[in-house]
Amino acid sequence: MKEYKPFKAGKVREIYDTGNHLIMVATDRISAFDVILKNQIDGKGKVLTQMSKFWFDYTKDIVPNHMVSVDVNEMPEFFRTPEFEGRSMLCKKLNMIPIECIVRGYITGSGWASYQENGTVCGIRLPEGLKESEKLPEPIFTPSTKAELGDHDENISYEQSIDVLEKVFPGRGEEYATAIRDCTIALYKKCADYALTRGIIIADTKFEFGLDEEGNVVLGDEMLTPDSSRFWPVDGYEEGHGQPSFDKQFVRNWLKANPDSDYSLPQDVIDKTIEKYKEAYTMLTGKEI
């Protein structure tokens, strides 16, 4: 049996090259504030992979995605073990576009802090008088550069994203910047509308895109997971303050309240985190994990 080693490891995912495809394995690691925490969240990787699969299937009419299969029986023998089952995704190889595509439908987090300071979010002027957690008149696209592990992403404007992509794809920067912006907004609107019917508000999220061999834009990485999104319960939603969440904002909040934790979580926070991730999965998909 041929053995494989990851050729790339991110904060959460490890990526293997099988020749014609990649296999993305979602570990149980969790990161916050661009730091990998010392604890793992048992079962988290399976939630991320299965939730991404659900959304990739749901949105393939908007833009193609990189998912081929999440069945380890369709992967090399090395991956047909309990260690990889449920958390591995066989993917098409893409030339990744070096932009994080962030979309915000509600004002919260760093966006709320920026708005209070100068009335803008990532340089976009918003109406006066918005309250914390309020739904925006229209979702806004706030891209960022994609930083290397350990560095911080940098917010940029749509116009700056054109410049970034023009350097990478000469003559096609504006075309690709427009395509990923429009896909980001369309994906968010469709999925946010669906999530509302399942009792969840998607306040914001991020997508990543790449190019296939023909130069077509393809959705990659993960999609609308509790790691990459803010999920709020519809029940009890109220403007004017922060919201309870089904995502890792719960972990971020605990770390902020415990600055001497050295990025180590107590067991009750670990247990609550995976409980929230699984609850969100069940609410959105109607399935247990």
Side-chain angles (χ1 to χ4, degrees):
M1 178 180 67
K2 180 178 178 180
E3 292 193 4
Y4 291 85
K5 291 188 180 298
F7 74 91
K8 184 178 181 182
K11 299 185 189 81
V12 173
R13 284 170 180 74
E14 294 176 346
I15 306 177
Y16 298 77
D17 191 336
T18 67
N20 294 327
H21 295 93
L22 299 178
I23 294 178
M24 292 181 59
V25 179
T27 71
D28 290 336
R29 295 192 295 265
I30 188 167
S31 70
F33 308 115
D34 293 318
V35 175
I36 299 171
L37 275 59
K38 294 179 179 178
N39 313 86
Q40 296 207 348
I41 310 292
D42 291 343
K44 172 177 168 285
K46 291 184 179 181
V47 176
L48 300 186
T49 298
Q50 299 305 318
M51 191 172 284
S52 289
K53 177 192 184 302
F54 170 79
W55 290 118
F56 283 145
D57 285 336
Y58 185 69
T59 58
K60 58 190 177 185
D61 61 323
I62 295 178
V63 60
N65 60 69
H66 71 164
M67 181 179 69
V68 177
S69 176
V70 296
D71 183 353
V72 292
N73 293 313
E74 297 182 23
M75 303 177 198
E77 185 181 354
F78 176 78
F79 297 94
R80 298 173 205 163
T81 68
E83 176 189 355
F84 292 104
E85 191 166 357
R87 63 177 71 245
S88 304
M89 182 177 289
L90 185 69
C91 303
K92 300 169 189 171
K93 288 185 172 181
L94 301 176
N95 179 15
M96 295 306 291
I97 295 172
I99 297 288
E100 295 255 354
C101 295
I102 299 163
V103 55
R104 304 167 191 258
Y106 294 72
I107 188 161
T108 186
S110 62
W112 172 243
S114 173
Y115 176 77
Q116 287 180 292
E117 191 175 312
N118 56 31
T120 70
V121 174
C122 298
I124 298 172
R125 176 70 54 185
L126 295 178
E128 293 182 7
L130 294 178
K131 300 175 183 175
E132 184 177 5
S133 304
E134 185 170 347
K135 185 177 182 180
L136 298 173
E138 282 292 325
I140 57 174
F141 177 62
T142 59
S144 74
T145 57
K146 192 163 169 45
E148 293 299 315
L149 189 63
D151 293 331
H152 293 282
D153 299 339
E154 180 184 350
N155 293 329
I156 57 175
S157 66
Y158 164 69
E159 290 73 22
Q160 287 173 309
S161 76
I162 295 174
D163 296 336
V164 169
L165 296 186
E166 187 61 34
K167 292 174 184 174
V168 182
F169 309 109
R172 304 194 73 175
E174 185 170 4
E175 173 192 346
Y176 286 141
T178 300
I180 62 176
R181 178 197 64 188
D182 292 352
C183 284
T184 294
I185 297 294
L187 289 167
Y188 174 78
K189 285 184 173 180
K190 177 173 183 175
C191 296
D193 285 350
Y194 167 81
L196 282 174
T197 71
R198 308 292 301 187
I200 287 181
I201 293 168
I202 302 175
D204 53 38
T205 193
K206 74 173 180 69
F207 303 116
E208 293 190 37
F209 298 90
L211 306 177
D212 64 15
E213 291 179 346
E214 288 76 44
N216 301 310
V217 172
V218 177
L219 179 61
D221 196 56
E222 64 181 321
M223 183 176 186
L224 284 162
T225 71
D227 268 17
S228 65
S229 320
R230 279 191 177 92
F231 293 154
W232 299 337
V234 170
D235 288 348
Y237 166 71
E238 183 181 62
E239 300 169 357
H241 54 79
Q243 308 297 310
S245 69
F246 292 106
D247 52 68
K248 70 176 180 181
Q249 189 60 40
F250 175 73
V251 171
R252 293 191 196 101
N253 291 344
W254 187 89
L255 290 169
K256 284 181 182 177
N258 296 272
D260 297 327
S261 65
D262 195 29
Y263 292 97
S264 184
L265 302 174
Q267 191 61 45
D268 65 318
V269 174
I270 294 171
D271 294 343
K272 188 69 173 177
T273 299
I274 191 60
E275 179 186 315
K276 285 175 173 287
Y277 275 49
K278 288 181 175 179
E279 185 180 0
Y281 177 81
T282 299
M283 288 178 70
L284 288 167
T285 69
K287 299 176 183 177
E288 298 285 338
I289 194 165

PDB file of all heavy atoms in Angstrom, residues 26 45 56 77 116 146 172 210 219 222 232 274-275:
ATOM      1  N   ALA A  26      -9.859  17.462   7.096  1.00  0.00           N
ATOM      2  CA  ALA A  26     -10.150  18.440   8.152  1.00  0.00           C
ATOM      3  C   ALA A  26      -9.829  17.806   9.498  1.00  0.00           C
ATOM      4  O   ALA A  26     -10.470  16.832   9.911  1.00  0.00           O
ATOM      5  CB  ALA A  26     -11.616  18.873   8.097  1.00  0.00           C
ATOM      6  N   GLY A  45     -13.592  18.038  12.747  1.00  0.00           N
ATOM      7  CA  GLY A  45     -13.224  17.902  11.345  1.00  0.00           C
ATOM      8  C   GLY A  45     -14.310  17.244  10.512  1.00  0.00           C
ATOM      9  O   GLY A  45     -14.525  17.598   9.348  1.00  0.00           O
ATOM     10  N   PHE A  56     -21.785  22.492  -0.924  1.00  0.00           N
ATOM     11  CA  PHE A  56     -21.301  22.331  -2.304  1.00  0.00           C
ATOM     12  C   PHE A  56     -22.397  21.732  -3.183  1.00  0.00           C
ATOM     13  O   PHE A  56     -22.611  22.165  -4.319  1.00  0.00           O
ATOM     14  CB  PHE A  56     -20.053  21.435  -2.338  1.00  0.00           C
ATOM     15  CG  PHE A  56     -18.783  22.098  -1.892  1.00  0.00           C
ATOM     16  CD1 PHE A  56     -17.819  21.378  -1.187  1.00  0.00           C
ATOM     17  CD2 PHE A  56     -18.520  23.432  -2.184  1.00  0.00           C
ATOM     18  CE1 PHE A  56     -16.633  21.973  -0.776  1.00  0.00           C
ATOM     19  CE2 PHE A  56     -17.331  24.044  -1.779  1.00  0.00           C
ATOM     20  CZ  PHE A  56     -16.387  23.312  -1.073  1.00  0.00           C
ATOM     21  N   GLU A  77      -6.129   3.473  -1.016  1.00  0.00           N
ATOM     22  CA  GLU A  77      -6.308   2.573   0.129  1.00  0.00           C
ATOM     23  C   GLU A  77      -5.815   3.193   1.441  1.00  0.00           C
ATOM     24  O   GLU A  77      -6.393   2.952   2.503  1.00  0.00           O
ATOM     25  CB  GLU A  77      -5.574   1.263  -0.135  1.00  0.00           C
ATOM     26  CG  GLU A  77      -5.784   0.211   0.926  1.00  0.00           C
ATOM     27  CD  GLU A  77      -5.021  -1.069   0.653  1.00  0.00           C
ATOM     28  OE1 GLU A  77      -4.413  -1.185  -0.431  1.00  0.00           O
ATOM     29  OE2 GLU A  77      -5.031  -1.956   1.532  1.00  0.00           O
ATOM     30  N   GLN A 116     -18.400  51.991  14.163  1.00  0.00           N
ATOM     31  CA  GLN A 116     -18.516  52.928  15.290  1.00  0.00           C
ATOM     32  C   GLN A 116     -17.454  54.028  15.214  1.00  0.00           C
ATOM     33  O   GLN A 116     -17.683  55.160  15.615  1.00  0.00           O
ATOM     34  CB  GLN A 116     -18.359  52.174  16.606  1.00  0.00           C
ATOM     35  CG  GLN A 116     -19.546  51.306  16.981  1.00  0.00           C
ATOM     36  CD  GLN A 116     -19.299  50.594  18.286  1.00  0.00           C
ATOM     37  OE1 GLN A 116     -18.451  49.709  18.379  1.00  0.00           O
ATOM     38  NE2 GLN A 116     -20.020  50.999  19.314  1.00  0.00           N
ATOM     39  N   LYS A 146      -4.748  36.804   1.338  1.00  0.00           N
ATOM     40  CA  LYS A 146      -4.635  35.513   2.020  1.00  0.00           C
ATOM     41  C   LYS A 146      -3.226  35.388   2.580  1.00  0.00           C
ATOM     42  O   LYS A 146      -2.260  35.265   1.843  1.00  0.00           O
ATOM     43  CB  LYS A 146      -4.936  34.386   1.034  1.00  0.00           C
ATOM     44  CG  LYS A 146      -5.124  33.055   1.714  1.00  0.00           C
ATOM     45  CD  LYS A 146      -5.820  32.078   0.792  1.00  0.00           C
ATOM     46  CE  LYS A 146      -5.780  30.669   1.326  1.00  0.00           C
ATOM     47  NZ  LYS A 146      -6.101  30.559   2.730  1.00  0.00           N
ATOM     48  N   ARG A 172      -6.252  39.766 -16.829  1.00  0.00           N
ATOM     49  CA  ARG A 172      -7.524  39.173 -16.418  1.00  0.00           C
ATOM     50  C   ARG A 172      -7.889  39.527 -14.975  1.00  0.00           C
ATOM     51  O   ARG A 172      -8.819  38.960 -14.407  1.00  0.00           O
ATOM     52  CB  ARG A 172      -7.472  37.649 -16.582  1.00  0.00           C
ATOM     53  CG  ARG A 172      -7.104  37.200 -17.995  1.00  0.00           C
ATOM     54  CD  ARG A 172      -7.368  35.747 -18.240  1.00  0.00           C
ATOM     55  NE  ARG A 172      -8.790  35.454 -18.361  1.00  0.00           N
ATOM     56  CZ  ARG A 172      -9.280  34.244 -18.674  1.00  0.00           C
ATOM     57  NH1 ARG A 172      -8.454  33.241 -18.867  1.00  0.00           N
ATOM     58  NH2 ARG A 172     -10.571  34.053 -18.769  1.00  0.00           N
ATOM     59  N   GLY A 210     -10.697  29.127  -6.987  1.00  0.00           N
ATOM     60  CA  GLY A 210      -9.514  28.830  -7.786  1.00  0.00           C
ATOM     61  C   GLY A 210      -9.915  28.727  -9.242  1.00  0.00           C
ATOM     62  O   GLY A 210     -11.077  28.912  -9.600  1.00  0.00           O
ATOM     63  N   LEU A 219     -15.296  27.140  -7.028  1.00  0.00           N
ATOM     64  CA  LEU A 219     -15.316  27.303  -5.572  1.00  0.00           C
ATOM     65  C   LEU A 219     -14.499  26.193  -4.917  1.00  0.00           C
ATOM     66  O   LEU A 219     -14.648  25.018  -5.267  1.00  0.00           O
ATOM     67  CB  LEU A 219     -16.768  27.254  -5.090  1.00  0.00           C
ATOM     68  CG  LEU A 219     -17.043  27.384  -3.591  1.00  0.00           C
ATOM     69  CD1 LEU A 219     -16.559  28.722  -3.060  1.00  0.00           C
ATOM     70  CD2 LEU A 219     -18.540  27.208  -3.324  1.00  0.00           C
ATOM     71  N   GLU A 222     -13.261  25.229   2.018  1.00  0.00           N
ATOM     72  CA  GLU A 222     -14.452  24.831   2.773  1.00  0.00           C
ATOM     73  C   GLU A 222     -15.590  25.785   2.427  1.00  0.00           C
ATOM     74  O   GLU A 222     -15.388  26.817   1.797  1.00  0.00           O
ATOM     75  CB  GLU A 222     -14.176  24.864   4.270  1.00  0.00           C
ATOM     76  CG  GLU A 222     -13.866  26.255   4.814  1.00  0.00           C
ATOM     77  CD  GLU A 222     -13.571  26.256   6.302  1.00  0.00           C
ATOM     78  OE1 GLU A 222     -14.237  25.525   7.047  1.00  0.00           O
ATOM     79  OE2 GLU A 222     -12.673  27.006   6.730  1.00  0.00           O
ATOM     80  N   TRP A 232     -25.956  32.577  13.752  1.00  0.00           N
ATOM     81  CA  TRP A 232     -26.738  32.992  14.915  1.00  0.00           C
ATOM     82  C   TRP A 232     -28.094  32.294  14.899  1.00  0.00           C
ATOM     83  O   TRP A 232     -28.669  32.073  13.828  1.00  0.00           O
ATOM     84  CB  TRP A 232     -26.999  34.500  14.890  1.00  0.00           C
ATOM     85  CG  TRP A 232     -25.800  35.382  14.929  1.00  0.00           C
ATOM     86  CD1 TRP A 232     -24.558  35.080  15.399  1.00  0.00           C
ATOM     87  CD2 TRP A 232     -25.735  36.747  14.482  1.00  0.00           C
ATOM     88  NE1 TRP A 232     -23.720  36.163  15.281  1.00  0.00           N
ATOM     89  CE2 TRP A 232     -24.417  37.207  14.728  1.00  0.00           C
ATOM     90  CE3 TRP A 232     -26.656  37.622  13.925  1.00  0.00           C
ATOM     91  CZ2 TRP A 232     -24.004  38.496  14.407  1.00  0.00           C
ATOM     92  CZ3 TRP A 232     -26.261  38.914  13.603  1.00  0.00           C
ATOM     93  CH2 TRP A 232     -24.947  39.347  13.846  1.00  0.00           C
ATOM     94  N   ILE A 274     -18.074  21.685  20.389  1.00  0.00           N
ATOM     95  CA  ILE A 274     -18.486  20.626  19.460  1.00  0.00           C
ATOM     96  C   ILE A 274     -19.996  20.445  19.492  1.00  0.00           C
ATOM     97  O   ILE A 274     -20.622  20.146  18.470  1.00  0.00           O
ATOM     98  CB  ILE A 274     -17.750  19.296  19.747  1.00  0.00           C
ATOM     99  CG1 ILE A 274     -18.002  18.301  18.608  1.00  0.00           C
ATOM    100  CG2 ILE A 274     -18.148  18.713  21.085  1.00  0.00           C
ATOM    101  CD1 ILE A 274     -17.550  18.754  17.242  1.00  0.00           C
ATOM    102  N   GLU A 275     -20.609  20.672  20.647  1.00  0.00           N
ATOM    103  CA  GLU A 275     -22.071  20.605  20.742  1.00  0.00           C
ATOM    104  C   GLU A 275     -22.713  21.644  19.818  1.00  0.00           C
ATOM    105  O   GLU A 275     -23.683  21.350  19.103  1.00  0.00           O
ATOM    106  CB  GLU A 275     -22.489  20.842  22.186  1.00  0.00           C
ATOM    107  CG  GLU A 275     -23.982  20.826  22.445  1.00  0.00           C
ATOM    108  CD  GLU A 275     -24.310  21.225  23.877  1.00  0.00           C
ATOM    109  OE1 GLU A 275     -23.629  20.727  24.799  1.00  0.00           O
ATOM    110  OE2 GLU A 275     -25.229  22.051  24.060  1.00  0.00           O
TER     111      GLU A 275
END
